[in-house]
């Protein structure tokens, strides 16, 4: 057997793929109408970014995150048949500064400023984590040492996050840059469930179109069998993060940018007419997006509510990424549910944990030292592109024209990020997007991603997550399409035909269909009215 047949990668050599290292990351750190910076610029490389403006600026409206420390954050207290309004931040401060030495006391403190939930919340996960998972020494260490630091961090909110945080609303392109310290403070607040109006999510609630941010839902999960022990492992990742960010000798001087991008309707590609040719592909059955996609646009196989089930039962690709890089969680504070032609891009996050396993077998494996280089503005060369695939109950539906177009537009919304920047050619690190929990077909989804990467003029690093057969088949298809000089438009036309054939003919896999169609030149005569509009 030659080396070539046993190697676990195919296509172009990975070292030839363009990366972002040394380039100016997008968007640049310049405040504008589209970019809110919550710290002072310029920041020196060794300095910790300072909050900007100096004084806390209170805003309580529909366009900004409602802050726990706002003077408008009031709640009604009934006492001796009288009701009065109390400032919630005062109660938060008072309750959290009292000694908290057990999970019961922590629950009680959290309930004191969320009194509506007094008889509704029971923090099963939190209690059993300390009772069953950690030993006595570790539990003491948490309550005596770490928790006071988390609380201290949370209570610095009015001095650390002084500028109102805009909500990243649907259809609005906007970026928010925060310092790592500000992010840590916001996450400490989320952990302590202080964000107002963020505890329920029924269809009528104010933030029903936003992900969860307070940890109450997570703390309430139940670990009733060993199959659920991965929930403890999720909590360990969070604790690992807080240990690092509160440790006296860690320098938190980085910056992270959260951006929402919508494809302008005038820029939606006409897929059927696209004359783009496929770009380079590096494909491997080894490694992962986060370990091996350094310096590339790393795809988050997202939920339209970014973060998916990270504060619930989920522990697949997106959730794991959010657990090992908890700074991603802050996106849940302000990102409204994604629409079909939108993506969320997060630049500069640090990785804090290592892990093993997946889903139920997920395990925290200790501290990760992130050695990814940083740019002149202390932003790490790590860019995450969150795009949500569609969930398919019936696998046939993914081949419908409107769904093909939707997934092309969605991935293109992410892949075309920063097209006029120095990073416009940076490769995409992806894999079986939409093909796990969302039940898509790997052959189709890999092709759609190759097509939108080609449309965005970017090469692709594809991780098949251990599947060598899939690596071979995607590589062969890519080589075939390149050798025949096939355009993105031509592949689109063939895919549309495939759906019609699924309805009538005996089952043929999508790859076989494409090989056959191209060999017999069947696509050339095909036109589709619906697709002509995009
Ligand atoms: N690197 C490369 N490939 C991976 C990795 C990784 N780190 N992890 C998993 N895969 P899935 P979806 C492969 O199910 O179908 C979440 O709850 C592996 O082959 O996470 O788009 C979100 O919040 C896996 O089967 O993505 C959404 O609600 C495949 O990628 C929902 O799941 C798909 O991973 C999205 O589901």
């Amino acid at each position: 057997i030659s080396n070539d047949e046993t190697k676990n990668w195919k296509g172009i050599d990975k070292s030839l793929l363009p990366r972002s290292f040394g380039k100016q990351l997008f968007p640049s750190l310049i405040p504008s109408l589209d970019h809110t910076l919550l710290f002072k610029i310029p920041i020196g490389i060794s300095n910790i970014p300072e909050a900007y403006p100096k004084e806390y600026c209170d805003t309580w409206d529909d366009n900004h995150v409602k802050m726990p420390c706002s003077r408008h954050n009031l709640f009604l207290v009934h006492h001796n048949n009288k009701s009065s309004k109390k400032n919630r931040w005062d109660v938060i401060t008072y309750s959290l500064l009292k000694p908290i030495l057990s999970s019961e006391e922590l629950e009680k403190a959290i309930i004191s400023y969320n009194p509506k939930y007094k008889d509704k919340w029971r923090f099963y996960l939190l209690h059993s984590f300390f009772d069953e998972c950690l030993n006595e020494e570790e539990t003491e260490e948490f309550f005596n040492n770490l928790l006071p630091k988390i609380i201290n961090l949370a209570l610095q909110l009015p001095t650390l996050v002084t500028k109102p945080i805009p909500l990243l609303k649907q259809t609005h392109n906007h970026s928010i840059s925060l310092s790592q310290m500000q992010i840590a403070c916001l996450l400490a607040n989320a952990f302590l469930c202080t964000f107002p109006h963020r505890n329920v999510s029924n269809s009528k609630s104010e933030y029903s179109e936003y992900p969860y941010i307070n940890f109450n839902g997570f703390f309430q999960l139940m670990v009733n069998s060993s199959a659920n022990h991965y929930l403890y492992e999720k909590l360990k990742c969070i604790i690992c993060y807080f240990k690092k960010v509160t440790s006296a000798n860690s320098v938190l001087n980085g910056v992270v940018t959260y951006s929402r991008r919508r494809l302008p309707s005038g820029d939606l590609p006409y897929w059927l007419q696209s004359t783009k040719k496929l770009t380079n592909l590096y494909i491997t059955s080894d490694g992962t997006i986060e370990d091996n996609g350094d310096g590339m646009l790393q795809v988050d196989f997202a939920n339209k509510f970014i973060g998916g089930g990270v504060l619930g039962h989920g522990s697949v690709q997106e959730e794991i990424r959010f657990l090992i890089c908890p700074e991603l969680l802050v996106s849940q504070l302000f990102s409204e549910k994604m629409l079909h032609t939108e993506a969320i891009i997060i630049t500069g996050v640090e990785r804090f944990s290592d892990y093993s396993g997946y889903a139920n077998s997920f395990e925290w494996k200790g501290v990760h030292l992130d050695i990814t280089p940083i740019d002149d503005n202390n932003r790490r060369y790590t860019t995450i592109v969150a795009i949500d695939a569609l969930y398919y109950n019936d696998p046939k539906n993914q081949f419908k024209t409107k769904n093909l177009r939707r997934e092309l537009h969605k991935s293109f919304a992410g892949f075309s990020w920063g097209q006029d920047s120095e990073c416009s050619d940076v490769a995409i690190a992806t894999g079986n997007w939409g093909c796990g929990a969302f039940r898509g077909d790997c052959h189709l989804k890999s092709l759609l991603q190759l097509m939108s990467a080609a449309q965005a003029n970017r090469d692709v690093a594809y991780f098949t997550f251990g599947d060598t057969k899939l690596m071979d088949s995607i590589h062969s298809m890519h080589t075939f399409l390149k050798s025949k000089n096939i355009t993105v438009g031509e592949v689109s036309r063939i895919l549309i035909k495939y759906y019609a054939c699924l309805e009538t003919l005996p089952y043929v896999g999508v790859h076989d269909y494409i090989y056959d169609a191209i060999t017999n030149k069947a696509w050339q005569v095909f036109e589709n009215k619906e697709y002509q509009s995009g």
Side-chain angles (χ1 to χ4, degrees):
I1 304 174
S2 78
N3 257 350
D4 215 44
E5 279 165 36
T6 53
K7 75 179 185 189
N8 46 22
W9 66 271
K10 290 196 162 169
I12 189 180
D13 195 298
K14 193 177 138 193
S15 63
L16 298 174
L17 297 177
R19 322 252 184 133
S20 57
F21 301 131
K23 297 181 179 163
Q24 169 140 72
L25 283 168
F26 185 77
S28 49
L29 280 189
I30 301 170
S32 71
L33 280 179
D34 306 331
H35 193 168
T36 306
L37 270 62
L38 280 95
F39 47 81
K40 215 167 119 186
I41 47 157
I43 15 169
I45 206 90
S46 57
N47 296 331
I48 298 201
E50 264 176 66
Y52 183 84
K54 258 202 156 65
E55 301 291 324
Y56 177 71
C57 171
D58 202 7
T59 302
W60 187 267
D61 64 23
D62 294 343
N63 296 319
H64 298 88
V65 172
K66 293 204 160 95
M67 295 292 266
C69 56
S70 166
R71 66 189 157 80
H72 300 280
N73 187 16
L74 304 169
F75 70 89
L76 274 181
V77 204
H78 303 283
H79 195 63
N80 291 341
N81 280 344
K82 276 193 195 156
S83 53
S84 59
K85 281 183 181 167
K86 254 194 178 174
N87 181 297
R88 212 149 82 102
W89 187 245
D90 290 344
V91 183
I92 290 170
T93 311
Y94 174 80
S95 306
L96 293 177
L97 287 179
K98 285 204 289 197
I100 299 174
L101 294 170
S102 66
S103 61
E104 299 288 342
E105 286 178 7
L106 179 56
E107 182 184 85
K108 220 171 122 196
I110 293 175
I111 296 278
S112 75
Y113 45 83
N114 291 295
K116 254 209 266 179
Y117 303 97
K118 187 164 183 282
D119 299 315
K120 294 192 182 133
W121 290 355
R122 176 85 188 130
F123 292 166
Y124 300 105
L125 176 63
L126 203 61
H127 301 318
S128 63
F129 179 68
F130 293 108
D131 291 347
E132 287 162 28
C133 182
L134 296 194
N135 62 34
E136 223 168 280
E137 207 179 306
E138 292 165 327
T139 300
E140 263 179 33
E141 150 72 18
F142 178 84
F143 288 102
N144 292 334
N145 195 2
L146 185 59
L147 183 62
K149 288 183 186 165
I150 297 176
I151 289 173
N152 178 39
L153 185 60
L155 296 181
Q156 289 181 56
L157 188 63
T159 50
L160 274 179
V161 185
T162 50
K163 189 186 245 186
I165 308 175
L167 293 170
L168 296 183
K169 292 194 173 189
Q170 291 177 348
T171 75
H172 294 281
N173 292 322
H174 198 88
S175 297
I176 301 172
S177 288
L178 292 160
S179 73
Q180 283 190 297
M181 193 68 177
Q182 292 172 323
I183 294 168
C185 171
L186 292 166
L187 288 181
N189 275 281
F191 185 81
L192 297 164
C193 312
T194 68
F195 285 104
H197 302 194
R198 298 301 288 266
N199 290 329
V200 276
S201 184
N202 56 44
S203 56
K204 282 188 230 117
S205 69
E206 183 182 347
Y207 284 95
S208 59
E209 298 293 287
Y210 287 79
Y212 290 110
I213 183 66
N214 284 338
F215 274 54
N216 58 286
F218 182 59
F219 292 156
Q220 287 176 84
L221 299 178
M222 245 188 238
V223 180
N224 43 19
S225 78
S226 57
N228 279 347
H229 277 195
Y230 73 95
L231 294 172
Y232 294 148
E233 304 298 316
K234 291 176 68 165
L235 196 45
K236 287 184 194 169
C237 292
I238 302 296
I239 288 179
C240 170
Y241 166 75
F242 281 124
K243 269 196 187 149
K244 171 89 188 280
V245 298
T246 59
S247 120
N249 45 23
S250 80
V251 198
L252 263 196
N253 61 355
V255 163
V256 180
T257 303
Y258 303 81
S259 308
R260 184 183 195 105
R261 166 169 156 80
R262 177 199 186 205
L263 267 186
S265 46
D267 282 6
L268 298 177
Y270 288 88
W271 297 101
L272 272 188
Q273 274 106 52
S274 169
T275 52
K276 297 273 184 189
K277 305 272 168 64
L278 293 192
T279 45
N280 294 312
L281 170 70
Y282 159 84
I283 185 161
T284 176
S285 56
D286 263 6
T288 59
I289 295 170
E290 65 276 14
D291 283 344
N292 307 91
D294 47 326
M296 303 182 200
L297 296 188
Q298 303 175 4
V299 178
D300 162 14
F301 304 157
N303 189 285
K304 60 186 170 199
F305 288 93
I306 194 165
V310 63
L311 296 181
H313 281 110
S315 69
V316 289
Q317 196 253 8
E318 171 163 60
E319 290 91 354
I320 293 174
R321 194 68 204 262
F322 276 53
L323 292 164
I324 61 174
C325 307
E327 291 165 339
L328 292 169
L329 286 164
V330 163
S331 62
Q332 300 182 214
L333 178 61
F334 42 66
S335 308
E336 197 175 4
K337 181 174 95 177
M338 278 185 269
L339 296 174
H340 292 318
T341 56
E342 291 184 322
I344 292 171
I345 300 95
I346 303 170
T347 310
V349 284
E350 179 171 343
R351 172 164 170 189
F352 292 82
S353 290
D354 281 326
Y355 75 96
S356 69
Y358 192 72
N360 281 2
S361 66
F362 174 74
E363 269 183 59
W364 175 73
K365 282 286 172 198
V367 176
H368 179 89
L369 193 66
D370 192 336
I371 52 160
T372 312
I374 52 169
D375 74 354
D376 297 345
N377 288 308
N378 297 356
R379 247 184 328 184
R380 276 202 159 61
Y381 283 104
T382 298
T383 305
I384 314 276
V385 174
I387 46 173
D388 55 300
L390 291 177
Y391 172 82
Y392 294 105
N393 245 331
D394 176 354
K396 248 191 207 168
N397 288 340
Q398 65 194 302
F399 297 99
K400 283 186 178 164
T401 304
K402 77 170 193 317
N403 291 335
L404 296 174
R405 182 172 42 209
R406 190 275 183 195
E407 305 293 51
L408 284 169
H409 283 156
K410 171 62 74 169
S411 47
F412 186 69
F415 297 176
S416 57
W417 174 243
Q419 282 216 300
D420 298 323
S421 75
E422 277 184 25
C423 289
S424 62
D425 65 340
V426 165
I428 289 150
T430 190
N432 303 331
W433 174 55
C435 300
F438 280 180
R439 304 178 46 170
D441 177 301
C442 292
H443 289 149
L444 175 68
K445 273 294 198 303
S446 54
L447 201 55
L448 294 176
Q449 291 187 84
L450 286 172
M451 289 160 70
S452 52
Q455 194 68 28
N457 304 315
R458 293 182 191 274
D459 292 344
V460 175
Y462 196 104
F463 299 89
T464 63
F465 211 59
D467 192 335
T468 47
K469 249 173 97 180
L470 183 66
M471 169 181 80
D472 291 342
S473 60
I474 296 174
H475 175 253
S476 303
M477 175 53 69
H478 179 263
T479 312
F480 174 74
L481 294 174
K482 293 257 315 164
S483 72
K484 299 278 179 192
N485 251 323
I486 299 293
T487 64
V488 167
E490 284 160 346
V491 184
S492 310
R493 281 173 260 169
I494 297 170
L495 286 176
I496 292 176
K497 272 200 99 177
Y498 178 65
Y499 181 68
C501 128
L502 268 182
E503 297 278 87
T504 49
L505 300 171
Y507 179 78
V508 198
V510 65
H511 272 186
D512 286 339
Y513 184 83
I514 294 171
Y515 284 124
D516 189 58
I518 290 174
T519 315
N520 298 316
K521 301 213 184 284
W523 83 93
Q524 284 178 345
V525 286
F526 187 70
E527 278 201 290
N528 180 289
K529 286 225 169 63
E530 188 186 354
Y531 233 86
Q532 277 173 354
S533 59

PDB file of all heavy atoms in Angstrom, residues 475-491:
ATOM      1  N   HIS A 475     -13.869  13.927  -1.473  1.00  0.00           N
ATOM      2  CA  HIS A 475     -12.677  14.274  -2.242  1.00  0.00           C
ATOM      3  C   HIS A 475     -12.828  13.867  -3.706  1.00  0.00           C
ATOM      4  O   HIS A 475     -12.498  14.634  -4.620  1.00  0.00           O
ATOM      5  CB  HIS A 475     -11.432  13.619  -1.618  1.00  0.00           C
ATOM      6  CG  HIS A 475     -10.206  13.848  -2.426  1.00  0.00           C
ATOM      7  ND1 HIS A 475      -9.607  12.858  -3.175  1.00  0.00           N
ATOM      8  CD2 HIS A 475      -9.486  14.972  -2.652  1.00  0.00           C
ATOM      9  CE1 HIS A 475      -8.572  13.368  -3.815  1.00  0.00           C
ATOM     10  NE2 HIS A 475      -8.470  14.646  -3.506  1.00  0.00           N
ATOM     11  N   SER A 476     -13.358  12.679  -3.944  1.00  0.00           N
ATOM     12  CA  SER A 476     -13.531  12.222  -5.329  1.00  0.00           C
ATOM     13  C   SER A 476     -14.496  13.131  -6.079  1.00  0.00           C
ATOM     14  O   SER A 476     -14.260  13.483  -7.244  1.00  0.00           O
ATOM     15  CB  SER A 476     -14.099  10.794  -5.380  1.00  0.00           C
ATOM     16  OG  SER A 476     -13.261   9.939  -4.674  1.00  0.00           O
ATOM     17  N   MET A 477     -15.576  13.495  -5.426  1.00  0.00           N
ATOM     18  CA  MET A 477     -16.556  14.379  -6.084  1.00  0.00           C
ATOM     19  C   MET A 477     -15.916  15.728  -6.415  1.00  0.00           C
ATOM     20  O   MET A 477     -16.065  16.249  -7.526  1.00  0.00           O
ATOM     21  CB  MET A 477     -17.777  14.557  -5.160  1.00  0.00           C
ATOM     22  CG  MET A 477     -18.822  15.545  -5.638  1.00  0.00           C
ATOM     23  SD  MET A 477     -19.442  15.252  -7.325  1.00  0.00           S
ATOM     24  CE  MET A 477     -20.363  13.754  -7.141  1.00  0.00           C
ATOM     25  N   HIS A 478     -15.182  16.265  -5.466  1.00  0.00           N
ATOM     26  CA  HIS A 478     -14.520  17.554  -5.680  1.00  0.00           C
ATOM     27  C   HIS A 478     -13.531  17.469  -6.860  1.00  0.00           C
ATOM     28  O   HIS A 478     -13.523  18.321  -7.747  1.00  0.00           O
ATOM     29  CB  HIS A 478     -13.808  17.967  -4.384  1.00  0.00           C
ATOM     30  CG  HIS A 478     -13.066  19.260  -4.487  1.00  0.00           C
ATOM     31  ND1 HIS A 478     -11.717  19.328  -4.749  1.00  0.00           N
ATOM     32  CD2 HIS A 478     -13.478  20.552  -4.372  1.00  0.00           C
ATOM     33  CE1 HIS A 478     -11.330  20.595  -4.785  1.00  0.00           C
ATOM     34  NE2 HIS A 478     -12.388  21.362  -4.555  1.00  0.00           N
ATOM     35  N   THR A 479     -12.743  16.392  -6.875  1.00  0.00           N
ATOM     36  CA  THR A 479     -11.762  16.213  -7.944  1.00  0.00           C
ATOM     37  C   THR A 479     -12.468  16.091  -9.292  1.00  0.00           C
ATOM     38  O   THR A 479     -12.053  16.678 -10.299  1.00  0.00           O
ATOM     39  CB  THR A 479     -10.925  14.933  -7.689  1.00  0.00           C
ATOM     40  OG1 THR A 479     -10.498  14.963  -6.335  1.00  0.00           O
ATOM     41  CG2 THR A 479      -9.732  14.825  -8.604  1.00  0.00           C
ATOM     42  N   PHE A 480     -13.559  15.335  -9.300  1.00  0.00           N
ATOM     43  CA  PHE A 480     -14.321  15.133 -10.532  1.00  0.00           C
ATOM     44  C   PHE A 480     -14.875  16.463 -11.056  1.00  0.00           C
ATOM     45  O   PHE A 480     -14.709  16.801 -12.231  1.00  0.00           O
ATOM     46  CB  PHE A 480     -15.455  14.139 -10.247  1.00  0.00           C
ATOM     47  CG  PHE A 480     -16.401  13.933 -11.380  1.00  0.00           C
ATOM     48  CD1 PHE A 480     -16.025  13.195 -12.504  1.00  0.00           C
ATOM     49  CD2 PHE A 480     -17.688  14.454 -11.337  1.00  0.00           C
ATOM     50  CE1 PHE A 480     -16.913  13.000 -13.562  1.00  0.00           C
ATOM     51  CE2 PHE A 480     -18.585  14.264 -12.376  1.00  0.00           C
ATOM     52  CZ  PHE A 480     -18.189  13.534 -13.496  1.00  0.00           C
ATOM     53  N   LEU A 481     -15.519  17.229 -10.167  1.00  0.00           N
ATOM     54  CA  LEU A 481     -16.120  18.495 -10.591  1.00  0.00           C
ATOM     55  C   LEU A 481     -15.049  19.457 -11.100  1.00  0.00           C
ATOM     56  O   LEU A 481     -15.255  20.169 -12.082  1.00  0.00           O
ATOM     57  CB  LEU A 481     -16.910  19.139  -9.442  1.00  0.00           C
ATOM     58  CG  LEU A 481     -18.155  18.377  -8.980  1.00  0.00           C
ATOM     59  CD1 LEU A 481     -18.759  19.032  -7.733  1.00  0.00           C
ATOM     60  CD2 LEU A 481     -19.210  18.306 -10.086  1.00  0.00           C
ATOM     61  N   LYS A 482     -13.901  19.459 -10.447  1.00  0.00           N
ATOM     62  CA  LYS A 482     -12.814  20.342 -10.883  1.00  0.00           C
ATOM     63  C   LYS A 482     -12.297  19.892 -12.257  1.00  0.00           C
ATOM     64  O   LYS A 482     -12.073  20.711 -13.137  1.00  0.00           O
ATOM     65  CB  LYS A 482     -11.655  20.327  -9.887  1.00  0.00           C
ATOM     66  CG  LYS A 482     -11.977  20.928  -8.559  1.00  0.00           C
ATOM     67  CD  LYS A 482     -11.517  22.276  -8.202  1.00  0.00           C
ATOM     68  CE  LYS A 482     -10.225  22.894  -8.371  1.00  0.00           C
ATOM     69  NZ  LYS A 482     -10.363  24.357  -8.211  1.00  0.00           N
ATOM     70  N   SER A 483     -12.131  18.579 -12.386  1.00  0.00           N
ATOM     71  CA  SER A 483     -11.549  18.084 -13.638  1.00  0.00           C
ATOM     72  C   SER A 483     -12.475  18.356 -14.818  1.00  0.00           C
ATOM     73  O   SER A 483     -12.035  18.533 -15.942  1.00  0.00           O
ATOM     74  CB  SER A 483     -11.241  16.587 -13.532  1.00  0.00           C
ATOM     75  OG  SER A 483     -12.458  15.880 -13.554  1.00  0.00           O
ATOM     76  N   LYS A 484     -13.768  18.408 -14.556  1.00  0.00           N
ATOM     77  CA  LYS A 484     -14.720  18.678 -15.645  1.00  0.00           C
ATOM     78  C   LYS A 484     -15.007  20.164 -15.785  1.00  0.00           C
ATOM     79  O   LYS A 484     -15.894  20.560 -16.546  1.00  0.00           O
ATOM     80  CB  LYS A 484     -16.041  17.932 -15.387  1.00  0.00           C
ATOM     81  CG  LYS A 484     -15.912  16.434 -15.328  1.00  0.00           C
ATOM     82  CD  LYS A 484     -15.911  15.855 -16.725  1.00  0.00           C
ATOM     83  CE  LYS A 484     -15.765  14.346 -16.651  1.00  0.00           C
ATOM     84  NZ  LYS A 484     -15.488  13.715 -17.928  1.00  0.00           N
ATOM     85  N   ASN A 485     -14.343  20.992 -14.949  1.00  0.00           N
ATOM     86  CA  ASN A 485     -14.549  22.434 -15.035  1.00  0.00           C
ATOM     87  C   ASN A 485     -15.979  22.871 -14.774  1.00  0.00           C
ATOM     88  O   ASN A 485     -16.487  23.808 -15.396  1.00  0.00           O
ATOM     89  CB  ASN A 485     -14.145  22.937 -16.411  1.00  0.00           C
ATOM     90  CG  ASN A 485     -12.875  23.732 -16.301  1.00  0.00           C
ATOM     91  OD1 ASN A 485     -12.691  24.450 -15.307  1.00  0.00           O
ATOM     92  ND2 ASN A 485     -12.001  23.575 -17.277  1.00  0.00           N
ATOM     93  N   ILE A 486     -16.631  22.161 -13.903  1.00  0.00           N
ATOM     94  CA  ILE A 486     -18.053  22.423 -13.644  1.00  0.00           C
ATOM     95  C   ILE A 486     -18.210  23.686 -12.797  1.00  0.00           C
ATOM     96  O   ILE A 486     -17.431  23.919 -11.876  1.00  0.00           O
ATOM     97  CB  ILE A 486     -18.662  21.213 -12.898  1.00  0.00           C
ATOM     98  CG1 ILE A 486     -18.557  19.947 -13.746  1.00  0.00           C
ATOM     99  CG2 ILE A 486     -20.100  21.455 -12.470  1.00  0.00           C
ATOM    100  CD1 ILE A 486     -19.382  19.947 -14.998  1.00  0.00           C
ATOM    101  N   THR A 487     -19.210  24.486 -13.122  1.00  0.00           N
ATOM    102  CA  THR A 487     -19.435  25.720 -12.349  1.00  0.00           C
ATOM    103  C   THR A 487     -20.454  25.473 -11.232  1.00  0.00           C
ATOM    104  O   THR A 487     -21.202  24.486 -11.252  1.00  0.00           O
ATOM    105  CB  THR A 487     -19.994  26.840 -13.250  1.00  0.00           C
ATOM    106  OG1 THR A 487     -21.289  26.420 -13.718  1.00  0.00           O
ATOM    107  CG2 THR A 487     -19.083  27.131 -14.430  1.00  0.00           C
ATOM    108  N   VAL A 488     -20.484  26.448 -10.313  1.00  0.00           N
ATOM    109  CA  VAL A 488     -21.464  26.394  -9.221  1.00  0.00           C
ATOM    110  C   VAL A 488     -22.886  26.384  -9.799  1.00  0.00           C
ATOM    111  O   VAL A 488     -23.770  25.666  -9.323  1.00  0.00           O
ATOM    112  CB  VAL A 488     -21.239  27.600  -8.270  1.00  0.00           C
ATOM    113  CG1 VAL A 488     -22.411  27.782  -7.316  1.00  0.00           C
ATOM    114  CG2 VAL A 488     -19.935  27.418  -7.503  1.00  0.00           C
ATOM    115  N   GLY A 489     -23.092  27.165 -10.837  1.00  0.00           N
ATOM    116  CA  GLY A 489     -24.407  27.211 -11.472  1.00  0.00           C
ATOM    117  C   GLY A 489     -24.814  25.853 -12.028  1.00  0.00           C
ATOM    118  O   GLY A 489     -25.955  25.413 -11.874  1.00  0.00           O
ATOM    119  N   GLU A 490     -23.859  25.173 -12.639  1.00  0.00           N
ATOM    120  CA  GLU A 490     -24.169  23.857 -13.206  1.00  0.00           C
ATOM    121  C   GLU A 490     -24.511  22.845 -12.117  1.00  0.00           C
ATOM    122  O   GLU A 490     -25.465  22.074 -12.253  1.00  0.00           O
ATOM    123  CB  GLU A 490     -22.975  23.368 -14.049  1.00  0.00           C
ATOM    124  CG  GLU A 490     -22.915  24.096 -15.396  1.00  0.00           C
ATOM    125  CD  GLU A 490     -21.548  24.036 -16.073  1.00  0.00           C
ATOM    126  OE1 GLU A 490     -20.552  23.664 -15.417  1.00  0.00           O
ATOM    127  OE2 GLU A 490     -21.488  24.371 -17.270  1.00  0.00           O
ATOM    128  N   VAL A 491     -23.771  22.872 -11.026  1.00  0.00           N
ATOM    129  CA  VAL A 491     -24.106  21.952  -9.925  1.00  0.00           C
ATOM    130  C   VAL A 491     -25.505  22.275  -9.396  1.00  0.00           C
ATOM    131  O   VAL A 491     -26.299  21.378  -9.114  1.00  0.00           O
ATOM    132  CB  VAL A 491     -23.073  22.016  -8.770  1.00  0.00           C
ATOM    133  CG1 VAL A 491     -23.405  20.979  -7.705  1.00  0.00           C
ATOM    134  CG2 VAL A 491     -21.659  21.801  -9.275  1.00  0.00           C
TER     135      VAL A 491
END
